[in-house]
Amino acid sequence: MSFISTAITVFALLLLFHAGYSAYEFSHYLKHLTVNSNATLPIDIITETIVATGLFALGQVLGADKLRPVSFAKWAKGLEREGKSPFSFLERRPGYMNVTKLREEYASTKK
Amino acid sequence: MDEKERKQAIYPISTESLQQNGKNVYYIRSVTSTIFGVSAGILGLESYYGFLFYFAGTAFVSLLLFLLLARGQPTEYFASANDIWIGNALTGLSSFVLTWTLFYGLVDA
Amino acid sequence: MVTAPDLVIDPSLRDWVLFPILLVMILVGILRHYITLLLQSSPKQLDLLAIREQQSLARGASLRSNGKLIPPSSFQSRKTYLIQAFKNGIFLKDQEAFKNKDEPKPPANPLAEPGGMDQMLNMLKGNMVMIVPQTLLMSWINFFFSGFILMKLPFPLTVRFKSILQSGVATRDLDVRWVSSMSWYFLNLFGLRSVYDVILGSNNSAGGGMDMAGMNPGMMGGGLQPGQDIYKLYLSEAENIELTTHEYLLEDIEDRILEKYE
Amino acid sequence: MTTIIDTLRNAHTTSSYLTLPAESLQSLYDTSYKFVTSGAAARSLHPEGLYNVFELHFFLSIITGKDSEASAILTTLTDRFGQDSHRVGVLRSIYLEATDGPVKALEFLSGRQDTELGTLKRKIVILKSSNQTSLYISELLKLVDNYPSDAESWAELASAYLEAGMYAQSIFALHEVLLLVPLAYNINALVGETSLLYASSLHAASSSHSVATEERLLEAVKFFLRSVELCEDYVRGWTGVLVATNRIAAIQKPFSDTSKYKRLYDVARKALTKIVETKDASESDLNAAQLVLKNY
């Protein structure tokens, strides 16, 4: 998840928490002040909630892992570029590694 | 071997990609619907309005997925364009109902 | 307008019933996830000949499905070899029994096969991890938290749900929206999936249920029922291979590429 | 954090540690050392992923000659996954092979269960280091007879045949890999390369152009093209097409109609030039493409 998406998500959650707390306080006062108990939620709390929800969704979508192309050839191209070919094990064959040779090679280049 | 099968063999589709993308979308759907439930509870929505809120939110997420994640080309990343609009639309419903109920009760002091 | 006095729920119900149930259910889900991970046993090691017996069958299948990728001569030689090998039973683990195959033999006991036993045990384990905690939780809630109203649903339901949602509450005319602890339990049971997704990553086994079948590696890979006569499978595979015609996919690849790039 | 995990996981799945140059190995080792010793590994990974990272760290330690570190990680793995774990057994045999020599490793391996694929592979590898190619091949043949669905062993068999100069057999083994892993574009390219070598050896043997040589060349083109079809802009595939079609064009009196191959040569040249111009490949691939473009 990138920094921006994390920031958006956290901000959205804070905003949502604030809105929730405000709504709680609002209904608390309504009950204790015994004014018209049918009063609807103030518009600013509603706006805050909806904005927070939208921002959260945005943060999540922005932070999601990138989609992969469905076409195998296109996907393989990307992998090949980044050196992540899923088939390279067939040519490197870790099960058959020659550990003595690898060690010798490494030691000789280090000197 | 019919024509379609042949084409599929020549230019194969990566099932791994399909699965991965599906999982991606599924995750976003379920996390966002949980938060939709929280919001619906805070807003004190009742009956139809709550479910309407859920579907509106889901549609909004679909739009975001279409524009930001699939960059307007859902067929590049999914078996069909519907997968991004309709697919998984109901997966988050039970989570939505859970958090909706919870916060509906919590906010009501 | 004077509204009818609403039911007022004691806030301590929220603190001592609502939250504890939610918390316990989340924790149980997480626990279940890790227990399932621990219980996943690696498939039992078969002996060398048994492995050969099973994998050879797969070799026939891969020739049939992917044979179009290799040149005709290469395909043909494999085809002849595999058909012969299957018919002569040379991959069979028990050559002695194959030679005496015309004699009648007692039906195989599926439990005697090591693989079969393993599979059953795995399924049993999976079910146990699913069912035991659910039963415990339900009786826990029934025992401690029954007989009172816990919360109000934000949506109305038909009267038919009354007996389930208000179980243990002896008020006949109460609106169905007021529900007992058991309903809260059910809401959690179905709705916590995405909470688990957030905590444990999307490939978890906390919710149990749906992807349980995918969890058992034994059930996916094999396809071989215990106690089945493998020689019969060989014969049908040989027949299938014989029926496969070879359509070389690379036959006209030059034209395809030229068409695409020129 | 996630990028470190990704780097390590990728290094493990692609086994890049087997071909990396020394300085990259060193830096990869430093990364994995920091990750493993910080304890972050145990917190952020599932058992399978954790095992893989530990295994990678073991390989990196042993290759870079840090034997005490390798021994330590081996102890950790044994404690965590048990003495009987096959994969840990394989690692121990590799450790013994590197530190105490092949005899000790073989001794250890013969004490293990002999149905486990990894153990069998290690036994065969130790044979290889004794330089008996024919014995090596026959052991591999036994293995693939018992485990016909292990693509890695078929690929190893192909490379053993190739080393022995038995091209036809090598190609046969590679075909088997393709049956098991149909999308392996690199193996398609490898079939092409092996066919080219085969054609050269046939040509050298008969000293004049023969039908067999030509068939090998045409087949090489097919497989190179297939690799390009499976992986867009695959440099290895396109360079193969270029080389093979270049050689077909050089044939004085071809037995079949080769006009198509001239066009394919142009297509390959165009594709490679475009890749080089737009720098649309990894650096080593770009260098290879430039070299081939210059020489063919």
Side-chain angles (χ1 to χ4, degrees):
Chain A
M1 213 182 243
S2 67
F3 173 73
I4 290 182
S5 66
T6 317
I8 292 179
T9 308
V10 169
F11 178 69
L13 285 176
L14 284 177
L15 211 58
L16 197 62
F17 178 77
H18 181 256
Y21 193 71
S22 309
Y24 173 79
E25 291 283 276
F26 176 71
S27 87
H28 197 74
Y29 280 119
L30 269 193
K31 289 224 166 102
H32 284 262
L33 294 175
T34 56
V35 277
N36 185 1
S37 67
N38 266 349
T40 49
L41 219 52
I43 187 78
D44 51 346
I45 297 182
I46 295 177
T47 327
E48 196 178 3
T49 312
I50 288 175
V51 167
T53 315
L55 277 180
F56 182 84
L58 183 71
Q60 285 300 313
V61 174
L62 280 180
D65 292 338
K66 263 171 102 184
L67 295 178
R68 297 170 171 188
V70 172
S71 151
F72 182 82
K74 278 187 189 152
W75 184 53
K77 179 190 173 181
L79 289 177
E80 195 57 36
R81 245 198 108 149
E82 292 164 40
K84 288 184 182 174
S85 163
F87 305 115
S88 56
F89 81 97
L90 287 171
E91 288 188 270
R92 288 177 178 147
R93 297 186 291 277
Y96 291 94
M97 76 160 82
N98 187 342
V99 67
T100 330
K101 203 173 125 211
L102 284 168
R103 275 160 71 92
E104 276 166 11
E105 275 170 12
Y106 182 82
S108 67
T109 45
K110 265 283 139 170
K111 265 170 206 161
Chain B
M1 190 160 51
D2 58 56
E3 201 46 43
K4 200 177 155 201
E5 213 174 310
R6 190 179 148 79
K7 198 151 179 84
Q8 163 74 45
I10 293 172
Y11 297 110
I13 277 179
S14 165
T15 42
E16 215 180 311
S17 295
L18 274 182
Q19 266 172 15
Q20 198 63 42
N21 294 344
K23 231 188 251 175
N24 245 345
V25 171
Y26 174 85
Y27 180 81
I28 294 174
R29 289 264 186 235
S30 71
V31 173
T32 48
S33 52
T34 313
I35 292 298
F36 291 156
V38 175
S39 309
I42 290 173
L43 293 175
L45 299 179
E46 289 188 1
S47 62
Y48 297 118
Y49 293 106
F51 292 105
L52 268 180
F53 184 77
Y54 174 77
F55 286 112
T58 308
F60 176 62
V61 170
S62 295
L63 189 72
L64 286 180
L65 287 175
F66 177 78
L67 291 177
L68 297 176
L69 211 56
R71 298 182 193 286
Q73 289 173 310
T75 42
E76 276 274 295
Y77 304 101
F78 297 93
S80 80
N82 275 343
D83 283 13
I84 212 164
W85 293 112
I86 308 169
N88 282 322
L90 288 179
T91 45
L93 193 59
S94 57
S95 308
F96 170 79
V97 170
L98 172 72
T99 46
W100 180 21
T101 314
L102 179 64
F103 278 81
Y104 181 79
L106 286 184
V107 164
D108 188 31
Chain C
M1 196 182 93
V2 180
T3 48
D6 226 353
L7 280 181
V8 176
I9 290 176
D10 188 347
S12 54
L13 275 181
R14 181 187 69 202
D15 297 345
W16 295 101
V17 182
L18 196 75
F19 285 143
I21 292 179
L22 179 67
L23 201 71
V24 166
M25 290 207 52
I26 293 177
L27 289 179
V28 165
I30 294 172
L31 202 67
R32 174 165 43 225
H33 171 68
Y34 285 112
I35 289 180
T36 325
L37 280 187
L38 283 178
L39 283 181
Q40 264 173 33
S41 56
S42 51
K44 254 231 158 22
Q45 279 295 307
L46 301 161
D47 67 89
L48 208 54
L49 289 173
I51 293 168
R52 181 174 178 233
E53 197 178 72
Q54 295 200 358
Q55 292 206 354
S56 299
L57 206 56
R59 202 178 169 188
S62 66
L63 179 68
R64 275 188 290 121
S65 55
N66 299 327
K68 54 184 179 288
L69 299 173
I70 60 175
S73 60
S74 194
F75 177 82
Q76 208 56 43
S77 69
R78 280 178 171 79
K79 185 173 169 178
T80 340
Y81 168 70
L82 279 182
I83 290 175
Q84 274 308 311
F86 281 142
K87 281 190 175 157
N88 297 336
I90 67 167
F91 298 132
L92 285 174
K93 150 172 81 173
D94 199 348
Q95 290 291 328
E96 207 54 44
F98 176 64
K99 278 179 201 135
N100 309 326
K101 68 175 175 326
D102 296 328
E103 291 169 19
K105 56 184 168 198
N109 175 10
L111 284 179
E113 295 263 332
M117 192 65 192
D118 223 45
Q119 244 180 47
M120 284 188 193
L121 210 65
N122 265 339
M123 265 160 65
L124 199 69
K125 274 188 213 158
N127 288 339
M128 291 295 272
V129 177
M130 252 316 279
I131 294 164
V132 171
Q134 289 324 343
T135 328
L136 282 179
L137 272 177
M138 255 173 95
S139 38
W140 171 62
I141 290 167
N142 237 335
F143 189 76
F144 286 99
F145 307 124
S146 68
F148 55 84
I149 287 298
L150 180 66
M151 61 197 309
K152 187 184 177 190
L153 291 180
F155 48 90
L157 287 165
T158 52
V159 191
R160 233 185 273 187
F161 287 95
K162 196 174 166 72
S163 59
I164 313 167
L165 297 181
Q166 290 180 357
S167 62
V169 183
T171 326
R172 235 192 305 143
D173 294 328
L174 189 62
D175 186 358
V176 194
R177 288 175 63 181
W178 297 95
V179 293
S180 67
S181 316
M182 201 40 97
S183 322
W184 178 231
Y185 164 78
F186 280 115
L187 273 180
N188 278 306
L189 187 64
F190 296 119
L192 277 180
R193 233 206 122 78
S194 57
V195 177
Y196 298 139
D197 284 349
V198 177
I199 303 175
L200 301 168
S202 50
N203 227 351
N204 66 73
S205 35
M210 291 173 280
D211 44 27
M212 218 55 196
M215 299 295 306
N216 281 326
M219 291 171 70
M220 303 249 292
L224 212 68
Q225 297 304 313
Q228 207 166 353
D229 184 2
I230 197 150
Y231 184 59
K232 276 188 191 135
L233 291 178
Y234 279 177
L235 285 183
S236 74
E237 183 64 51
E239 205 170 304
N240 285 339
I241 295 176
E242 207 144 9
L243 288 174
T244 311
T245 51
H246 186 243
E247 280 181 64
Y248 191 26
L249 202 66
L250 275 62
E251 185 66 56
D252 55 349
I253 190 166
E254 294 92 350
D255 299 325
R256 288 208 300 265
I257 295 284
L258 282 175
E259 195 183 321
K260 189 173 170 193
Y261 288 93
E262 250 183 355
Chain D
M1 197 70 208
T2 42
T3 52
I4 293 177
I5 295 179
D6 277 350
T7 314
L8 295 178
R9 187 180 291 154
N10 184 38
H12 183 265
T13 49
T14 61
S15 325
S16 62
Y17 50 87
L18 295 175
T19 48
L20 280 179
E23 58 268 29
S24 320
L25 266 179
Q26 180 64 46
S27 74
L28 191 59
Y29 169 82
D30 292 339
T31 314
S32 77
Y33 181 80
K34 242 182 255 160
F35 185 66
V36 168
T37 50
S38 71
R43 264 180 280 117
S44 49
L45 288 171
H46 287 294
E48 175 74 14
L50 184 70
Y51 182 90
N52 290 344
V53 168
F54 275 38
E55 188 175 85
L56 173 73
H57 186 60
F58 170 80
F59 286 143
L60 290 169
S61 315
I62 201 96
I63 292 171
T64 55
K66 288 158 187 88
D67 293 351
S68 56
E69 179 66 24
S71 167
I73 196 96
L74 199 54
T75 316
T76 319
L77 280 172
T78 315
D79 289 346
R80 224 189 137 93
F81 297 94
Q83 193 70 250
D84 298 331
S85 160
H86 296 299
R87 289 172 74 182
V88 176
V90 168
L91 296 191
R92 183 161 295 280
S93 89
I94 291 175
Y95 177 74
L96 286 174
E97 200 184 325
T99 53
D100 291 348
V103 183
K104 275 267 155 42
L106 208 55
E107 223 167 78
F108 170 77
L109 283 173
S110 37
R112 311 278 309 180
Q113 216 181 353
D114 64 346
T115 52
E116 215 284 314
L117 196 51
T119 311
L120 289 170
K121 286 180 184 175
R122 289 319 302 170
K123 275 190 191 169
I124 298 179
V125 175
I126 293 173
L127 275 181
K128 188 188 185 183
S129 50
S130 64
N131 271 332
Q132 290 166 286
T133 315
S134 58
L135 185 65
Y136 185 53
I137 288 176
S138 70
E139 284 298 315
L140 275 175
L141 278 173
K142 256 187 239 165
L143 184 78
V144 294
D145 182 47
N146 283 321
Y147 292 86
S149 55
D150 185 50
E152 190 189 18
S153 297
W154 281 106
E156 179 71 19
L157 180 64
S159 110
Y161 274 135
L162 186 65
E163 264 174 52
M166 299 155 88
Y167 300 107
Q169 286 86 340
S170 180
I171 291 171
F172 183 90
L174 289 178
H175 285 165
E176 196 69 38
V177 177
L178 284 181
L179 290 179
L180 294 167
V181 196
L183 299 179
Y185 49 88
N186 58 342
I187 296 301
N188 272 295
L190 188 60
V191 173
E193 285 155 6
T194 314
S195 299
L196 277 185
L197 288 172
Y198 192 15
S200 305
S201 86
L202 285 174
H203 188 71
S206 68
S207 78
S208 68
H209 182 63
S210 65
V211 185
T213 315
E214 191 172 310
E215 272 176 357
R216 297 278 75 80
L217 286 175
L218 300 189
E219 188 157 301
V221 175
K222 275 192 193 303
F223 277 91
F224 281 129
L225 289 177
R226 177 65 181 162
S227 78
V228 173
E229 202 169 57
L230 285 175
C231 176
E232 251 175 37
D233 297 336
Y234 189 41
V235 171
R236 191 171 159 192
W238 279 126
T239 50
V241 175
L242 199 71
V243 173
T245 47
N246 185 47
R247 281 179 53 182
I248 291 171
I251 299 172
Q252 300 286 321
K253 279 184 198 150
F255 295 95
S256 49
D257 173 29
T258 54
S259 57
K260 217 183 268 173
Y261 295 94
K262 180 78 192 90
R263 282 158 67 201
L264 279 170
Y265 176 85
D266 294 337
V267 165
R269 217 180 163 81
K270 211 169 75 190
L272 279 175
T273 317
K274 195 179 153 211
I275 291 171
V276 169
E277 271 169 8
T278 53
K279 290 200 183 342
D280 194 13
S282 67
E283 202 158 320
S284 57
D285 275 351
L286 284 177
N287 291 336
Q290 267 160 342
L291 198 70
V292 170
L293 277 175
K294 208 161 69 186
N295 292 331
Y296 289 91

